[in-house]
């Protein structure tokens, strides 16, 4: 038998038999449809979206995102706060210009997908025939064999061989005008033609999820100290801050921040978790991320206080006093308690308060008891240990040092579009797999009775949208199998 296999250059993908749709008419609707189906528009919108996203990241470095309005008003003033809010600089990803870009890109993706879906579907699942030997020989990947079988039997053998190799979509035709030939059309991997539909759908879900998250979700920052409750917008449950603490390395450098939180729902604790960076607490779709850990301007952990007792039996020493917990000074009838703390001491209209959250002028209020009886209170200043309030007193105290207490800064986030976004990620991964690893192969068989003898000639050829070398090897194996029959 004759075994001839073409070794010509890699073939180009056969052009679709279906021409691209052309919008009928020239009205505004047609113009809008054609505009949104433009690949150029998609590229422009993607560039705008990338620039807008980068702009949002840069703005986040200069303007804090998600803070309560009081923060911006205190920092920038009411008029600037209104301006920042109007132009979307305090929440770029929820601003009108960012959402408009997402909506336009969504429409663009949808229109492009719809416009290409019909031709791609027809190309993937329809069968066409090549009814002449010239058409078969025009294929760059082909092989030829001769069988000692009748025309119909040879056609069935070719079809059987294609089925054995996974070509389930198959049809055989015997043209009425040319009764001396049988043509076969087969294909497999048509799903690979629709990979773009899957990835476009995933992209559309991603954009819709982002829009829903920006419109209906929130991402705000809340602060709380030990024992305080954190409210959640539009939710009935609260989160109690049980404790906050630093994790230090062997070199006493900050290694991590931890917060122990308890969800109180319906008056009952329902969930407790210790959170840290990248390990949030999640409850009813709300996530509580550890995002900040500032020093508390009105609370400390403990203070190191030096003391001296005047008189012949005077005593000097140092005590470590926990915040708001009395401590007895051994060898004396005294006990003391750190009642209050301010990070930036100032007296405003007769009231001691903190001028700022910075520890610029830290001071503790020390209450003194003698034999359990309160006798006096005084402020001790870290920056002014010899403040005149200590002069001439029976008991002298100095604030040697203190350990600041910390507040936990929680980023409270709710994204109702998260389900769509996760679906888009899985669907997009599947779409990429379909696009790159499922090859659409179309194979044709042409069987013709050889004049003057009892044999039939078979030409098998095909095209593939990817991996033409794989198709060439497969055609080789098909021809070899036919030659061995």
């Amino acid at each position: 038998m004759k075994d001839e296999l073409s070794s010509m250059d890699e073939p180009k993908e056969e052009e679709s038999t279906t021409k691209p749709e052309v919008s009928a008419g020239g009205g505004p609707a047609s113009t809008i449809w054609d505009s949104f189906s433009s690949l150029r528009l998609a590229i422009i919108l993607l560039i705008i979206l990338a620039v807008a996203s980068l702009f949002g990241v840069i703005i986040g470095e200069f303007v804090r995102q998600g803070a309560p309005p009081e923060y911006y008003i205190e920092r920038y003033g009411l008029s600037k706060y209104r301006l920042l809010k109007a132009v979307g600089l305090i929440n770029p990803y929820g601003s009108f210009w960012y959402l408009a870009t997402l909506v336009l890109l969504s429409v663009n993706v949808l229109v492009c997908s719809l416009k290409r879906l019909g031709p791609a579907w027809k190309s993937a699942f329809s069968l066409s025939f090549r009814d002449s030997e010239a058409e078969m020989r025009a294929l760059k990947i082909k092989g030829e064999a001769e069988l000692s079988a009748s025309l119909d039997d040879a056609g069935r053998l070719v079809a059987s061989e294609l089925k054995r190799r996974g070509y389930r979509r198959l049809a055989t035709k015997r043209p009425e005008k040319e009764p001396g030939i049988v043509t076969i059309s087969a294909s497999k991997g048509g799903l690979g033609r629709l990979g773009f539909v899957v990835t476009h759908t995933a992209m559309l879900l991603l954009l819709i999820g982002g829009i829903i998250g920006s419109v209906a979700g929130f991402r705000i920052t809340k602060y709380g100290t030990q024992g305080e409750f954190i409210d959640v917008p539009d939710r009935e449950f609260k989160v109690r801050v049980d404790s906050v603490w630093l994790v230090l390395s062997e070199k006493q450098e900050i290694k991590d921040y931890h917060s122990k939180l308890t969800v109180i729902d319906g008056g009952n604790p329902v969930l407790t978790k210790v959170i840290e960076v990248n390990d949030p607490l999640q409850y009813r779709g709300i996530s509580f991320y550890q995002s900040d850990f500032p020093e508390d301007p009105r609370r400390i952990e403990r203070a190191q206080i030096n003391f001296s007792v005047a008189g012949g039996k005077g005593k000097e020493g140092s005590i470590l006093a926990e915040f708001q917990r009395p401590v007895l000074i051994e060898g004396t009838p005294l006990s003391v308690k750190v009642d209050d703390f301010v990070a930036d001491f100032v007296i405003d209209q007769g009231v001691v308060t903190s001028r700022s959250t910075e520890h610029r002028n830290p001071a503790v209020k020390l209450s003194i008891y003698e034999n359990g009886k309160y006798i006096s209170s005084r402020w001790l200043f870290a920056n002014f240990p010899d403040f005149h309030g200590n002069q001439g007193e029976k008991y002298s105290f100095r604030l040697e040092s203190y350990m600041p207490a910390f507040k936990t800064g929680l980023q409270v986030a709710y994204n109702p579009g998260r389900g769509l976004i996760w679906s888009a990620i899985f669907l997009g991964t599947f779409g990429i797999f379909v696009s790159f690893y499922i090859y659409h192969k179309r194979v044709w068989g042409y069987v013709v009775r050889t004049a003057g003898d009892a044999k039939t000639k078979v030409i098998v050829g095909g095209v593939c949208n990817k991996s033409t070398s794989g198709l060439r090897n497969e055609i080789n194996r098909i021809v070899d199998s036919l030659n061995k029959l």
Side-chain angles (χ1 to χ4, degrees), residues 43 52 106-107 112 156 164 212 228 298 327 330 420 454:
I43 294 173
S106 300
V107 175
C112 284
R156 282 192 287 270
R164 191 174 72 84
I212 292 175
E228 288 186 346
R298 295 307 304 265
V327 56
E330 294 184 1
L420 288 177

Side-chain angles (χ1 to χ4, degrees), residues 275-288:
I275 68 168
E276 57 184 314
V277 177
N278 296 327
D279 185 17
L281 166 70
Q282 294 183 331
Y283 183 72
R284 290 192 175 183
I286 310 290
S287 299
F288 301 84

Side-chain angles (χ1 to χ4, degrees), residues 245-249 253-258 275-278 290 293:
W245 68 92
L246 290 172
V247 179
L248 302 177
S249 66
E253 296 174 344
I254 297 176
K255 185 179 178 181
D256 202 354
Y257 308 106
H258 286 177
I275 68 168
E276 57 184 314
V277 177
N278 296 327
Q290 183 72 69
F293 215 78

Side-chain angles (χ1 to χ4, degrees), residues 228-265:
E228 288 186 346
F229 289 87
I230 293 178
D231 295 325
V232 182
D234 302 325
R235 299 294 188 279
E236 295 182 353
F237 67 86
K238 297 181 179 180
V239 172
R240 185 183 65 207
V241 180
D242 293 332
S243 57
V244 295
W245 68 92
L246 290 172
V247 179
L248 302 177
S249 66
E250 294 180 354
K251 297 181 179 180
Q252 296 301 301
E253 296 174 344
I254 297 176
K255 185 179 178 181
D256 202 354
Y257 308 106
H258 286 177
S259 299
K260 184 179 181 181
L261 307 177
T262 296
V263 178
I264 308 297
D265 195 351

Side-chain angles (χ1 to χ4, degrees), residues 27 46 53 97 103 139 251 259 287 314 412 420 453 475:
L46 285 172
S53 300
W97 44 268
V103 171
L139 293 171
K251 297 181 179 180
S259 299
S287 299
V412 185
L420 288 177
D453 58 39
I475 296 293

